Amino acid sequence: MIALASTLLEIQERLQAAGLAAREARTDAEWMLCELSGCTRASLYTHFPKLSEAQQAQLDHWVQQRSERRPLQYVLGRATFRDLDLEVNEAVLVPRPETEQLVDLVLEIYAPGRAGALKIADVGTGSGALGLSLTKIYGNCRMFCLEISPAALEVARRNAAREGLSRRISFLEGDLLQPLETVHCADPAGKLDLIVSNPPYLTTAEWVCAAPELHFEPRVALDAGEDGLNALRRLVAEAPAFLKPGAWLLLEIGCDQGAALLAWAKQFSDWSRVRVQRDWAGRDRFFLAQNQA
Ligand code: GLN
C-alpha cells in the first residue's frame, strides 16, 4: 500500500499546486486511480494494483490536464447522473447533482407506472442527462431532446444509443423551444405533458468571475446575459404554446432568481400555478409552472 499512498500524495500535491483545495485534490486523485485500476473508491485501499508503464503515462496525462483546471469529468471523459454513466466532453455542460433533483420533482408530478404515454421535451439537453433519465424512468414516453449545439447533440445521441434509449427520443437542433414547431408540438394534437430544462442562467458577470473549470464548459450553456434570465424568461413566455392543458414546465434556476421569475410569469395568464422550490442545500433552485387546465 506504500505505492498507493505515495502515488495519491504525489497527485494531490500536483493538483494543489495548480490551485485545487486539499480535499478536492485528494478525491480527484482517488477518482483517477479508480478509473485506471477498475477499483471502487473503497477497494482502492485494499486492492490497488501495480500500474503498468502505459497506465503511469495515462495518469500523468490526466494529472496534467486537471492541473490546467479542466474539470475532472472532461479529463476522464465521463460523468454520472443518477443511474446513468454519461460520456461528456467540452461540447456539453458537466451534469451537476442539483439537476438530479429536477428528476425527483417530475416523479412527484407523474407516477412512473401511470397509464398513457407522456410526451416530454428536454430543452438544452447537453449530454442528455435530464432527457435520458426521464426516458429511462417513463418506459413508454416520447422524448424530444432539443439543443442549439450540433456537437452537444452528437454527445447526447451517443449516450442514448449506449443506454438503448434512441428509439423513443427525437434529437432536434435549434434555439430553445423553436425545434418543437418542426415536429408540430404547437398543434392541438401534438402538445406536450412536460417541458424540463437546465438552461443557461448565470449572469455574464458571474460567468466572467467563475472558477477556471467553468471556462472549459460551453459558454452558451452557462451565460444568460446581464441578469442571467434571458433563457428563463423566454421559456416561461414561450412554453405554454407547446403544453397540453394541465401540463408542466420545470426549470432549474439560479438561487437568487426565483422572485424575478415568479414576477415575470404573472403576466402570462396561461400559467395557473407557479412556484419556486428549494434544492437539498436549501437554496431556491427550481421553478415549476402548470399550464391552465
Ligand atoms: N449550476 C451551474 C453552475 O453554477 C450553472 C448551470 C446553468 O447555468 N445551467 O455552475
CSV table of all heavy atoms in Angstrom, one decimal, residues 93-94 96 98-99 197-203 206 210 214 217 219-224 228 252-254 285, ligand 1:
chain,number,residue,atom,x,y,z
A,93,LEU,N,-22.2,20.7,-21.0
A,93,LEU,CA,-22.0,21.0,-19.6
A,93,LEU,C,-21.8,19.7,-18.8
A,93,LEU,O,-22.4,18.7,-19.1
A,93,LEU,CB,-23.3,21.7,-19.2
A,93,LEU,CG,-23.3,22.4,-17.8
A,93,LEU,CD1,-22.6,23.8,-18.0
A,93,LEU,CD2,-24.7,22.7,-17.3
A,94,VAL,N,-21.0,19.8,-17.8
A,94,VAL,CA,-20.9,18.7,-16.9
A,94,VAL,C,-22.2,18.6,-16.1
A,94,VAL,O,-22.5,19.6,-15.4
A,94,VAL,CB,-19.7,18.9,-16.0
A,94,VAL,CG1,-19.6,17.7,-14.9
A,94,VAL,CG2,-18.4,18.9,-16.8
A,96,ARG,N,-24.7,18.3,-13.1
A,96,ARG,CA,-24.5,18.7,-11.7
A,96,ARG,C,-25.5,17.9,-10.8
A,96,ARG,O,-26.6,17.6,-11.3
A,96,ARG,CB,-24.8,20.2,-11.5
A,96,ARG,CG,-24.1,21.1,-12.4
A,96,ARG,CD,-22.7,21.4,-12.1
A,96,ARG,NE,-22.2,22.6,-12.5
A,96,ARG,CZ,-21.6,22.8,-13.7
A,96,ARG,NH1,-21.4,21.9,-14.6
A,96,ARG,NH2,-21.1,24.0,-14.0
A,98,GLU,N,-27.3,19.0,-8.4
A,98,GLU,CA,-28.6,19.7,-8.2
A,98,GLU,C,-29.6,19.3,-9.3
A,98,GLU,O,-30.8,19.2,-9.0
A,98,GLU,CB,-28.5,21.2,-8.4
A,98,GLU,CG,-27.4,21.9,-7.5
A,98,GLU,CD,-26.1,21.9,-8.2
A,98,GLU,OE1,-25.4,20.8,-8.1
A,98,GLU,OE2,-25.7,22.9,-8.7
A,99,THR,N,-29.2,19.1,-10.5
A,99,THR,CA,-30.1,18.8,-11.6
A,99,THR,C,-30.7,17.5,-11.4
A,99,THR,O,-31.8,17.2,-11.9
A,99,THR,CB,-29.3,18.9,-12.9
A,99,THR,OG1,-28.6,20.2,-12.9
A,99,THR,CG2,-30.2,18.9,-14.1
A,197,SER,N,-36.0,21.8,-18.3
A,197,SER,CA,-34.8,22.4,-18.8
A,197,SER,C,-33.8,22.8,-17.7
A,197,SER,O,-34.2,23.3,-16.7
A,197,SER,CB,-35.1,23.7,-19.7
A,197,SER,OG,-34.0,24.2,-20.2
A,198,ASN,N,-32.5,22.6,-18.0
A,198,ASN,CA,-31.5,23.3,-17.2
A,198,ASN,C,-30.8,24.2,-18.2
A,198,ASN,O,-29.8,23.9,-18.7
A,198,ASN,CB,-30.5,22.2,-16.7
A,198,ASN,CG,-29.3,22.9,-16.0
A,198,ASN,OD1,-29.4,24.1,-15.6
A,198,ASN,ND2,-28.2,22.1,-15.8
A,199,PRO,N,-31.4,25.4,-18.3
A,199,PRO,CA,-30.9,26.3,-19.4
A,199,PRO,C,-29.7,27.1,-18.8
A,199,PRO,O,-29.4,27.0,-17.6
A,199,PRO,CB,-32.1,27.3,-19.6
A,199,PRO,CG,-32.7,27.4,-18.3
A,199,PRO,CD,-32.5,26.0,-17.6
A,200,PRO,N,-29.0,28.0,-19.6
A,200,PRO,CA,-28.0,28.9,-19.0
A,200,PRO,C,-28.8,29.8,-18.1
A,200,PRO,O,-29.8,30.3,-18.4
A,200,PRO,CB,-27.5,29.6,-20.2
A,200,PRO,CG,-28.5,29.4,-21.3
A,200,PRO,CD,-29.2,28.1,-21.0
A,201,TYR,N,-28.2,30.1,-16.9
A,201,TYR,CA,-28.8,31.1,-16.0
A,201,TYR,C,-27.8,31.9,-15.2
A,201,TYR,O,-28.2,32.6,-14.3
A,201,TYR,CB,-29.8,30.4,-15.1
A,201,TYR,CG,-29.4,29.3,-14.2
A,201,TYR,CD1,-28.6,29.5,-13.1
A,201,TYR,CD2,-29.8,28.0,-14.5
A,201,TYR,CE1,-28.1,28.5,-12.3
A,201,TYR,CE2,-29.4,26.9,-13.7
A,201,TYR,CZ,-28.5,27.2,-12.6
A,201,TYR,OH,-28.1,26.2,-11.8
A,202,LEU,N,-26.5,31.8,-15.6
A,202,LEU,CA,-25.5,32.7,-14.9
A,202,LEU,C,-25.6,34.1,-15.5
A,202,LEU,O,-25.9,34.2,-16.7
A,202,LEU,CB,-24.1,32.1,-15.0
A,202,LEU,CG,-23.8,30.7,-14.4
A,202,LEU,CD1,-22.3,30.5,-14.6
A,202,LEU,CD2,-24.2,30.6,-13.0
A,203,THR,N,-25.3,35.1,-14.7
A,203,THR,CA,-25.2,36.4,-15.2
A,203,THR,C,-23.8,36.4,-15.9
A,203,THR,O,-22.9,35.6,-15.6
A,203,THR,CB,-25.2,37.5,-14.1
A,203,THR,OG1,-24.0,37.4,-13.3
A,203,THR,CG2,-26.4,37.4,-13.3
A,206,GLU,N,-21.1,36.8,-13.4
A,206,GLU,CA,-20.8,35.5,-12.7
A,206,GLU,C,-20.0,34.6,-13.6
A,206,GLU,O,-19.0,34.0,-13.1
A,206,GLU,CB,-22.1,34.8,-12.3
A,206,GLU,CG,-22.8,35.4,-11.2
A,206,GLU,CD,-24.2,34.8,-11.0
A,206,GLU,OE1,-24.8,34.3,-12.0
A,206,GLU,OE2,-24.7,34.9,-9.9
A,210,ALA,N,-16.2,33.3,-12.7
A,210,ALA,CA,-16.3,31.9,-12.3
A,210,ALA,C,-15.0,31.2,-12.1
A,210,ALA,O,-14.0,31.6,-12.7
A,210,ALA,CB,-17.2,31.1,-13.3
A,214,LEU,N,-15.1,26.4,-15.0
A,214,LEU,CA,-16.3,26.7,-15.8
A,214,LEU,C,-15.9,27.2,-17.2
A,214,LEU,O,-16.8,27.1,-18.1
A,214,LEU,CB,-17.2,27.7,-15.1
A,214,LEU,CG,-18.4,27.1,-14.4
A,214,LEU,CD1,-18.0,26.5,-13.1
A,214,LEU,CD2,-19.5,28.1,-14.2
A,217,GLU,N,-16.2,24.8,-20.0
A,217,GLU,CA,-17.6,24.4,-20.4
A,217,GLU,C,-18.1,25.3,-21.4
A,217,GLU,O,-17.7,26.5,-21.6
A,217,GLU,CB,-18.5,24.4,-19.1
A,217,GLU,CG,-18.0,23.4,-18.1
A,217,GLU,CD,-18.9,23.1,-17.0
A,217,GLU,OE1,-19.0,23.9,-16.0
A,217,GLU,OE2,-19.7,22.2,-17.0
A,219,ARG,N,-19.9,28.2,-23.1
A,219,ARG,CA,-20.4,29.4,-22.6
A,219,ARG,C,-21.9,29.5,-22.9
A,219,ARG,O,-22.7,30.0,-22.0
A,219,ARG,CB,-19.7,30.6,-23.2
A,219,ARG,CG,-20.2,31.9,-22.7
A,219,ARG,CD,-19.3,33.1,-23.1
A,219,ARG,NE,-19.8,34.3,-22.6
A,219,ARG,CZ,-19.2,35.5,-22.6
A,219,ARG,NH1,-18.0,35.5,-23.3
A,219,ARG,NH2,-19.7,36.6,-22.1
A,220,VAL,N,-22.3,29.0,-24.0
A,220,VAL,CA,-23.8,29.0,-24.4
A,220,VAL,C,-24.7,28.3,-23.4
A,220,VAL,O,-25.8,28.6,-23.3
A,220,VAL,CB,-23.9,28.5,-25.8
A,220,VAL,CG1,-23.7,27.0,-25.9
A,220,VAL,CG2,-25.3,28.8,-26.4
A,221,ALA,N,-24.1,27.4,-22.6
A,221,ALA,CA,-24.8,26.6,-21.6
A,221,ALA,C,-24.9,27.3,-20.3
A,221,ALA,O,-25.5,26.8,-19.4
A,221,ALA,CB,-24.3,25.2,-21.5
A,222,LEU,N,-24.1,28.4,-20.1
A,222,LEU,CA,-24.0,29.0,-18.8
A,222,LEU,C,-24.4,30.4,-18.7
A,222,LEU,O,-25.1,30.9,-17.8
A,222,LEU,CB,-22.5,28.9,-18.3
A,222,LEU,CG,-22.0,27.5,-18.0
A,222,LEU,CD1,-20.5,27.4,-17.9
A,222,LEU,CD2,-22.6,27.0,-16.6
A,223,ASP,N,-23.9,31.2,-19.7
A,223,ASP,CA,-24.0,32.7,-19.7
A,223,ASP,C,-25.4,33.1,-20.3
A,223,ASP,O,-25.6,32.9,-21.4
A,223,ASP,CB,-22.8,33.3,-20.4
A,223,ASP,CG,-22.9,34.8,-20.5
A,223,ASP,OD1,-23.9,35.4,-19.9
A,223,ASP,OD2,-22.0,35.4,-21.1
A,224,ALA,N,-26.2,33.7,-19.4
A,224,ALA,CA,-27.5,34.1,-19.9
A,224,ALA,C,-27.7,35.6,-19.8
A,224,ALA,O,-28.8,36.1,-19.3
A,224,ALA,CB,-28.6,33.3,-19.2
A,228,GLY,N,-28.9,37.1,-16.2
A,228,GLY,CA,-28.9,35.7,-16.2
A,228,GLY,C,-30.3,35.1,-16.5
A,228,GLY,O,-30.5,33.9,-16.4
A,252,GLU,N,-34.6,24.5,-14.0
A,252,GLU,CA,-33.5,24.8,-13.0
A,252,GLU,C,-33.2,26.3,-13.1
A,252,GLU,O,-33.1,26.9,-14.2
A,252,GLU,CB,-32.3,24.0,-13.2
A,252,GLU,CG,-31.2,24.2,-12.2
A,252,GLU,CD,-30.1,23.2,-12.2
A,252,GLU,OE1,-30.3,22.0,-12.5
A,252,GLU,OE2,-28.9,23.7,-12.0
A,253,ILE,N,-33.0,26.9,-11.9
A,253,ILE,CA,-32.8,28.4,-11.9
A,253,ILE,C,-31.6,28.7,-10.9
A,253,ILE,O,-31.2,27.9,-10.1
A,253,ILE,CB,-34.0,29.2,-11.5
A,253,ILE,CG1,-34.4,28.9,-10.0
A,253,ILE,CG2,-35.2,29.0,-12.4
A,253,ILE,CD1,-35.5,29.8,-9.4
A,254,GLY,N,-31.1,29.9,-11.0
A,254,GLY,CA,-30.1,30.4,-10.0
A,254,GLY,C,-30.8,30.7,-8.7
A,254,GLY,O,-31.9,31.0,-8.6
A,285,ARG,N,-34.0,26.8,-6.3
A,285,ARG,CA,-33.2,26.2,-7.4
A,285,ARG,C,-34.1,25.8,-8.6
A,285,ARG,O,-33.6,25.5,-9.7
A,285,ARG,CB,-32.4,25.0,-6.8
A,285,ARG,CG,-31.7,24.1,-7.8
A,285,ARG,CD,-30.5,24.9,-8.4
A,285,ARG,NE,-29.6,25.2,-7.4
A,285,ARG,CZ,-28.7,26.2,-7.5
A,285,ARG,NH1,-28.5,26.8,-8.6
A,285,ARG,NH2,-27.9,26.5,-6.5
B,1,GLN,N1,-25.3,25.3,-11.7
B,1,GLN,C1,-24.3,25.8,-12.7
B,1,GLN,C2,-23.2,26.5,-12.0
B,1,GLN,O1,-23.4,27.3,-11.2
B,1,GLN,C3,-24.9,26.7,-13.7
B,1,GLN,C4,-25.7,25.8,-14.7
B,1,GLN,C5,-26.5,26.6,-15.7
B,1,GLN,O2,-26.3,27.8,-15.9
B,1,GLN,N2,-27.4,26.0,-16.2
B,1,GLN,O3,-22.0,26.2,-12.3
